[in-house]
């Protein structure tokens, strides 16, 4: 599903939202963590009854990784390009 991932450093922590093209409404993300040394990115999409945790790595202008649903295995692929 095409979407826009927006992550902003506010000086002390990360703010973020995921906006799916088909819906057009930003969904606020939680628990956003980024390790600049390794490029690791982790955030949660707190969907009621279907919480998703995304993990990935930044390489150049692309973040790619996997996400899970309700704590299951990380078996769904995702990517974002700047």
């Amino acid at each position: 599903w095409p979407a826009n991932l927006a992550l902003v450093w506010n000086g002390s922590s990360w703010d973020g939202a995921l906006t799916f093209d088909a819906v057009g409404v930003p969904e606020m993300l939680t628990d956003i963590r980024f390790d600049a040394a390794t490029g690791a990115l982790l955030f949660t999409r707190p969907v009621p009854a279907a919480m998703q945790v995304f993990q990935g790595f930044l390489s150049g202008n692309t973040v790619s990784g996997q996400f899970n649903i309700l704590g299951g295995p990380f078996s769904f692929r995702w990517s974002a390009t700047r």
Side-chain angles (χ1 to χ4, degrees):
W1 294 25
N4 180 47
L5 172 63
L7 299 172
V8 177
W9 178 252
N10 67 25
S12 61
S13 64
W14 289 95
D15 294 321
L18 189 61
T19 306
F20 288 95
D21 293 357
V23 180
V25 177
E27 298 179 15
M28 301 313 294
L29 303 174
T30 61
D31 304 319
I32 303 168
R33 288 176 265 157
F34 177 67
D35 183 333
T38 64
L41 175 65
L42 182 75
F43 59 87
T44 300
R45 180 179 173 228
V47 178
M51 183 178 73
Q52 299 170 347
V53 176
F54 288 71
Q55 63 182 12
F57 288 91
L58 175 64
S59 178
N61 288 331
T62 301
V63 178
S64 59
Q66 297 176 319
F67 70 94
N68 70 13
I69 298 174
L70 295 173
F74 284 91
S75 57
F76 302 97
R77 293 179 176 260
W78 73 278
S79 65
T81 303
R82 187 175 195 188

